[in-house]
Each structure stands twice: as structure tokens, then as C-alpha cells.
mmCIF file of all heavy atoms in Angstrom:
data_model
loop_
_atom_site.group_PDB
_atom_site.id
_atom_site.type_symbol
_atom_site.label_atom_id
_atom_site.label_comp_id
_atom_site.label_asym_id
_atom_site.label_seq_id
_atom_site.Cartn_x
_atom_site.Cartn_y
_atom_site.Cartn_z
ATOM 1 N N LEU I 1 8.709 -7.052 -3.611
ATOM 2 C CA LEU I 1 7.259 -6.904 -3.689
ATOM 3 C C LEU I 1 6.884 -5.587 -4.357
ATOM 4 O O LEU I 1 6.012 -5.548 -5.238
ATOM 5 C CB LEU I 1 6.647 -6.994 -2.294
ATOM 6 C CG LEU I 1 5.119 -6.936 -2.220
ATOM 7 C CD1 LEU I 1 4.485 -7.971 -3.151
ATOM 8 C CD2 LEU I 1 4.628 -7.150 -0.807
ATOM 9 N N VAL I 2 7.544 -4.525 -3.971
ATOM 10 C CA VAL I 2 7.228 -3.215 -4.544
ATOM 11 C C VAL I 2 7.493 -3.199 -6.045
ATOM 12 O O VAL I 2 6.798 -2.504 -6.801
ATOM 13 C CB VAL I 2 8.017 -2.112 -3.806
ATOM 14 C CG1 VAL I 2 7.931 -0.787 -4.559
ATOM 15 C CG2 VAL I 2 7.491 -1.946 -2.388
ATOM 16 N N ALA I 3 8.455 -3.994 -6.501
ATOM 17 C CA ALA I 3 8.749 -4.062 -7.935
ATOM 18 C C ALA I 3 7.571 -4.600 -8.732
ATOM 19 O O ALA I 3 7.493 -4.388 -9.949
ATOM 20 C CB ALA I 3 9.981 -4.924 -8.178
ATOM 21 N N LEU I 4 6.645 -5.290 -8.048
ATOM 22 C CA LEU I 4 5.466 -5.837 -8.727
ATOM 23 C C LEU I 4 4.320 -4.843 -8.800
ATOM 24 O O LEU I 4 3.313 -5.111 -9.461
ATOM 25 C CB LEU I 4 4.972 -7.084 -7.982
ATOM 26 C CG LEU I 4 5.940 -8.265 -7.861
ATOM 27 C CD1 LEU I 4 5.348 -9.315 -6.935
ATOM 28 C CD2 LEU I 4 6.240 -8.863 -9.227
ATOM 29 N N LEU I 5 4.446 -3.703 -8.105
ATOM 30 C CA LEU I 5 3.327 -2.785 -7.925
ATOM 31 C C LEU I 5 3.400 -1.603 -8.882
ATOM 32 O O LEU I 5 4.487 -1.186 -9.297
ATOM 33 C CB LEU I 5 3.321 -2.254 -6.480
ATOM 34 C CG LEU I 5 3.419 -3.294 -5.358
ATOM 35 C CD1 LEU I 5 3.460 -2.599 -4.002
ATOM 36 C CD2 LEU I 5 2.270 -4.287 -5.430
ATOM 37 N N THR I 6 2.246 -1.036 -9.192
ATOM 38 C CA THR I 6 2.222 0.219 -9.940
ATOM 39 C C THR I 6 2.647 1.350 -9.015
ATOM 40 O O THR I 6 2.590 1.239 -7.787
ATOM 41 C CB THR I 6 0.810 0.516 -10.482
ATOM 42 O OG1 THR I 6 -0.092 0.639 -9.367
ATOM 43 C CG2 THR I 6 0.330 -0.592 -11.414
ATOM 44 N N ALA I 7 3.079 2.471 -9.589
ATOM 45 C CA ALA I 7 3.556 3.592 -8.783
ATOM 46 C C ALA I 7 2.466 4.155 -7.881
ATOM 47 O O ALA I 7 2.749 4.632 -6.773
ATOM 48 C CB ALA I 7 4.116 4.692 -9.690
ATOM 49 N N ASP I 8 1.219 4.108 -8.340
ATOM 50 C CA ASP I 8 0.114 4.663 -7.554
ATOM 51 C C ASP I 8 -0.732 3.566 -6.906
ATOM 52 O O ASP I 8 -1.924 3.733 -6.664
ATOM 53 C CB ASP I 8 -0.768 5.556 -8.422
ATOM 54 C CG ASP I 8 -1.388 4.797 -9.593
ATOM 55 O OD1 ASP I 8 -0.967 3.644 -9.859
ATOM 56 O OD2 ASP I 8 -2.290 5.353 -10.244
ATOM 57 N N VAL I 9 -0.130 2.430 -6.595
ATOM 58 C CA VAL I 9 -0.830 1.301 -5.986
ATOM 59 C C VAL I 9 -1.587 1.738 -4.729
ATOM 60 O O VAL I 9 -1.160 2.653 -4.014
ATOM 61 C CB VAL I 9 0.177 0.185 -5.635
ATOM 62 C CG1 VAL I 9 1.175 0.653 -4.583
ATOM 63 C CG2 VAL I 9 -0.527 -1.091 -5.206
ATOM 64 N N THR I 10 -2.706 1.084 -4.472
ATOM 65 C CA THR I 10 -3.410 1.276 -3.198
ATOM 66 C C THR I 10 -3.392 -0.049 -2.440
ATOM 67 O O THR I 10 -3.470 -1.131 -3.045
ATOM 68 C CB THR I 10 -4.855 1.748 -3.388
ATOM 69 O OG1 THR I 10 -5.591 0.756 -4.127
ATOM 70 C CG2 THR I 10 -4.891 3.083 -4.124
ATOM 71 N N TRP I 11 -3.313 0.071 -1.110
ATOM 72 C CA TRP I 11 -3.273 -1.111 -0.242
ATOM 73 C C TRP I 11 -4.208 -0.837 0.924
ATOM 74 O O TRP I 11 -4.005 0.109 1.681
ATOM 75 C CB TRP I 11 -1.853 -1.349 0.259
ATOM 76 C CG TRP I 11 -1.610 -2.700 0.884
ATOM 77 C CD1 TRP I 11 -2.227 -3.211 1.976
ATOM 78 C CD2 TRP I 11 -0.669 -3.697 0.456
ATOM 79 N NE1 TRP I 11 -1.745 -4.464 2.279
ATOM 80 C CE2 TRP I 11 -0.785 -4.786 1.357
ATOM 81 C CE3 TRP I 11 0.250 -3.763 -0.590
ATOM 82 C CZ2 TRP I 11 0.001 -5.931 1.236
ATOM 83 C CZ3 TRP I 11 1.026 -4.904 -0.712
ATOM 84 C CH2 TRP I 11 0.905 -5.970 0.188
ATOM 85 N N ALA I 12 -5.233 -1.655 1.068
ATOM 86 C CA ALA I 12 -6.212 -1.492 2.145
ATOM 87 C C ALA I 12 -6.379 -2.807 2.879
ATOM 88 O O ALA I 12 -6.159 -3.883 2.304
ATOM 89 C CB ALA I 12 -7.556 -1.029 1.582
ATOM 90 N N MET I 13 -6.792 -2.722 4.156
ATOM 91 C CA MET I 13 -6.871 -3.914 5.007
ATOM 92 C C MET I 13 -8.092 -3.876 5.917
ATOM 93 O O MET I 13 -7.966 -3.816 7.138
ATOM 94 C CB MET I 13 -5.613 -4.026 5.874
ATOM 95 C CG MET I 13 -4.324 -4.112 5.096
ATOM 96 S SD MET I 13 -2.924 -3.708 6.167
ATOM 97 C CE MET I 13 -3.281 -1.985 6.534
ATOM 98 N N PRO I 14 -9.305 -3.855 5.367
ATOM 99 C CA PRO I 14 -10.464 -3.861 6.261
ATOM 100 C C PRO I 14 -10.419 -5.087 7.173
ATOM 101 O O PRO I 14 -10.044 -6.167 6.718
ATOM 102 C CB PRO I 14 -11.644 -3.929 5.280
ATOM 103 C CG PRO I 14 -11.061 -4.446 3.996
ATOM 104 C CD PRO I 14 -9.644 -3.981 3.951
ATOM 105 N N PRO I 15 -10.717 -4.924 8.492
ATOM 106 C CA PRO I 15 -11.395 -3.811 9.144
ATOM 107 C C PRO I 15 -10.502 -2.692 9.677
ATOM 108 O O PRO I 15 -10.959 -1.914 10.526
ATOM 109 C CB PRO I 15 -12.118 -4.506 10.302
ATOM 110 C CG PRO I 15 -11.182 -5.594 10.696
ATOM 111 C CD PRO I 15 -10.595 -6.086 9.394
ATOM 112 N N ASN I 16 -9.231 -2.606 9.267
ATOM 113 C CA ASN I 16 -8.427 -1.446 9.627
ATOM 114 C C ASN I 16 -8.806 -0.285 8.708
ATOM 115 O O ASN I 16 -8.950 -0.471 7.495
ATOM 116 C CB ASN I 16 -6.937 -1.749 9.493
ATOM 117 C CG ASN I 16 -6.459 -2.736 10.542
ATOM 118 O OD1 ASN I 16 -6.963 -2.732 11.654
ATOM 119 N ND2 ASN I 16 -5.514 -3.577 10.187
ATOM 120 N N ALA I 17 -8.947 0.886 9.265
ATOM 121 C CA ALA I 17 -9.383 2.031 8.466
ATOM 122 C C ALA I 17 -8.251 2.650 7.659
ATOM 123 O O ALA I 17 -8.500 3.305 6.651
ATOM 124 C CB ALA I 17 -10.012 3.088 9.366
ATOM 125 N N ALA I 18 -6.995 2.458 8.085
ATOM 126 C CA ALA I 18 -5.867 3.043 7.361
ATOM 127 C C ALA I 18 -5.706 2.354 6.003
ATOM 128 O O ALA I 18 -5.899 1.146 5.862
ATOM 129 C CB ALA I 18 -4.588 2.912 8.168
ATOM 130 N N TRP I 19 -5.352 3.140 5.022
ATOM 131 C CA TRP I 19 -5.020 2.589 3.712
ATOM 132 C C TRP I 19 -3.888 3.418 3.129
ATOM 133 O O TRP I 19 -3.625 4.542 3.586
ATOM 134 C CB TRP I 19 -6.237 2.562 2.784
ATOM 135 C CG TRP I 19 -6.806 3.907 2.436
ATOM 136 C CD1 TRP I 19 -7.580 4.703 3.223
ATOM 137 C CD2 TRP I 19 -6.623 4.622 1.201
ATOM 138 N NE1 TRP I 19 -7.910 5.865 2.565
ATOM 139 C CE2 TRP I 19 -7.342 5.846 1.325
ATOM 140 C CE3 TRP I 19 -5.952 4.343 0.019
ATOM 141 C CZ2 TRP I 19 -7.389 6.785 0.296
ATOM 142 C CZ3 TRP I 19 -6.007 5.265 -0.998
ATOM 143 C CH2 TRP I 19 -6.718 6.481 -0.861
ATOM 144 N N PHE I 20 -3.205 2.864 2.157
ATOM 145 C CA PHE I 20 -1.973 3.476 1.662
ATOM 146 C C PHE I 20 -2.025 3.619 0.154
ATOM 147 O O PHE I 20 -2.568 2.756 -0.547
ATOM 148 C CB PHE I 20 -0.769 2.627 2.071
ATOM 149 C CG PHE I 20 -0.821 2.212 3.516
ATOM 150 C CD1 PHE I 20 -1.102 0.904 3.874
ATOM 151 C CD2 PHE I 20 -0.637 3.141 4.525
ATOM 152 C CE1 PHE I 20 -1.185 0.521 5.198
ATOM 153 C CE2 PHE I 20 -0.719 2.778 5.856
ATOM 154 C CZ PHE I 20 -0.987 1.462 6.196
ATOM 155 N N ARG I 21 -1.450 4.706 -0.324
ATOM 156 C CA ARG I 21 -1.370 4.936 -1.767
ATOM 157 C C ARG I 21 0.082 5.253 -2.150
ATOM 158 O O ARG I 21 0.734 6.086 -1.508
ATOM 159 C CB ARG I 21 -2.261 6.103 -2.198
ATOM 160 C CG ARG I 21 -2.229 6.336 -3.727
ATOM 161 C CD ARG I 21 -2.976 7.598 -4.129
ATOM 162 N NE ARG I 21 -4.393 7.499 -3.863
ATOM 163 C CZ ARG I 21 -5.259 6.883 -4.669
ATOM 164 N NH1 ARG I 21 -4.847 6.286 -5.771
ATOM 165 N NH2 ARG I 21 -6.548 6.863 -4.351
ATOM 166 N N GLY I 22 0.555 4.597 -3.187
ATOM 167 C CA GLY I 22 1.901 4.850 -3.689
ATOM 168 C C GLY I 22 2.931 3.934 -3.058
ATOM 169 O O GLY I 22 2.769 3.444 -1.938
ATOM 170 N N THR I 23 4.014 3.688 -3.780
ATOM 171 C CA THR I 23 4.998 2.700 -3.333
ATOM 172 C C THR I 23 5.760 3.145 -2.090
ATOM 173 O O THR I 23 6.179 2.299 -1.298
ATOM 174 C CB THR I 23 5.980 2.392 -4.472
ATOM 175 O OG1 THR I 23 6.525 3.612 -4.987
ATOM 176 C CG2 THR I 23 5.291 1.630 -5.603
ATOM 177 N N ASP I 24 5.953 4.452 -1.887
ATOM 178 C CA ASP I 24 6.672 4.889 -0.690
ATOM 179 C C ASP I 24 5.894 4.527 0.568
ATOM 180 O O ASP I 24 6.444 3.955 1.520
ATOM 181 C CB ASP I 24 6.925 6.408 -0.737
ATOM 182 C CG ASP I 24 7.985 6.796 -1.748
ATOM 183 O OD1 ASP I 24 8.719 5.892 -2.216
ATOM 184 O OD2 ASP I 24 8.070 7.994 -2.091
ATOM 185 N N ALA I 25 4.594 4.877 0.600
ATOM 186 C CA ALA I 25 3.779 4.572 1.777
ATOM 187 C C ALA I 25 3.628 3.071 1.962
ATOM 188 O O ALA I 25 3.693 2.558 3.093
ATOM 189 C CB ALA I 25 2.411 5.233 1.645
ATOM 190 N N VAL I 26 3.448 2.336 0.865
ATOM 191 C CA VAL I 26 3.292 0.888 0.962
ATOM 192 C C VAL I 26 4.587 0.248 1.462
ATOM 193 O O VAL I 26 4.564 -0.672 2.294
ATOM 194 C CB VAL I 26 2.859 0.296 -0.392
ATOM 195 C CG1 VAL I 26 2.980 -1.225 -0.391
ATOM 196 C CG2 VAL I 26 1.425 0.701 -0.703
ATOM 197 N N THR I 27 5.747 0.727 1.001
ATOM 198 C CA THR I 27 7.026 0.186 1.463
ATOM 199 C C THR I 27 7.197 0.392 2.961
ATOM 200 O O THR I 27 7.619 -0.513 3.696
ATOM 201 C CB THR I 27 8.189 0.839 0.703
ATOM 202 O OG1 THR I 27 8.062 0.571 -0.695
ATOM 203 C CG2 THR I 27 9.522 0.296 1.183
ATOM 204 N N THR I 28 6.876 1.593 3.433
ATOM 205 C CA THR I 28 6.966 1.872 4.865
ATOM 206 C C THR I 28 6.078 0.926 5.658
ATOM 207 O O THR I 28 6.493 0.355 6.680
ATOM 208 C CB THR I 28 6.561 3.325 5.149
ATOM 209 O OG1 THR I 28 7.446 4.203 4.454
ATOM 210 C CG2 THR I 28 6.606 3.640 6.637
ATOM 211 N N PHE I 29 4.858 0.738 5.196
ATOM 212 C CA PHE I 29 3.932 -0.164 5.868
ATOM 213 C C PHE I 29 4.443 -1.602 5.840
ATOM 214 O O PHE I 29 4.413 -2.303 6.869
ATOM 215 C CB PHE I 29 2.564 -0.075 5.197
ATOM 216 C CG PHE I 29 1.703 -1.282 5.405
ATOM 217 C CD1 PHE I 29 1.178 -1.574 6.652
ATOM 218 C CD2 PHE I 29 1.430 -2.146 4.346
ATOM 219 C CE1 PHE I 29 0.389 -2.710 6.848
ATOM 220 C CE2 PHE I 29 0.649 -3.274 4.536
ATOM 221 C CZ PHE I 29 0.132 -3.556 5.789
ATOM 222 N N LEU I 30 4.907 -2.071 4.692
ATOM 223 C CA LEU I 30 5.360 -3.454 4.572
ATOM 224 C C LEU I 30 6.518 -3.755 5.512
ATOM 225 O O LEU I 30 6.545 -4.793 6.184
ATOM 226 C CB LEU I 30 5.781 -3.745 3.134
ATOM 227 C CG LEU I 30 4.670 -3.829 2.082
ATOM 228 C CD1 LEU I 30 5.260 -3.925 0.683
ATOM 229 C CD2 LEU I 30 3.756 -5.030 2.351
#
């Protein structure tokens, strides 16, 4: 999945307030 993303990707999930930027943070979350 991360291979499909840009290096500075953002991932948000309203109504959760947390959001993630970059593949490292997104990988940890995933």
C-alpha cells in the first residue's frame, strides 16, 4: 500500500481528529 503513496501523503479519518503525514507515520498507523 505504501508503494502506491507519495512520500508526503496525508491520511485523515474524520470524525477522528488524528491525521498522518508521510509514509513512516502512515505505515505505523496501517
Side-chain angles (χ1 to χ4, degrees):
L1 183 53
V2 168
L4 300 172
L5 310 178
T6 61
D8 60 348
V9 64
T10 61
W11 194 299
M13 301 162 295
N16 291 327
W19 64 283
F20 314 107
R21 182 187 294 279
T23 52
D24 288 346
V26 168
T27 300
T28 299
F29 157 69
L30 289 172

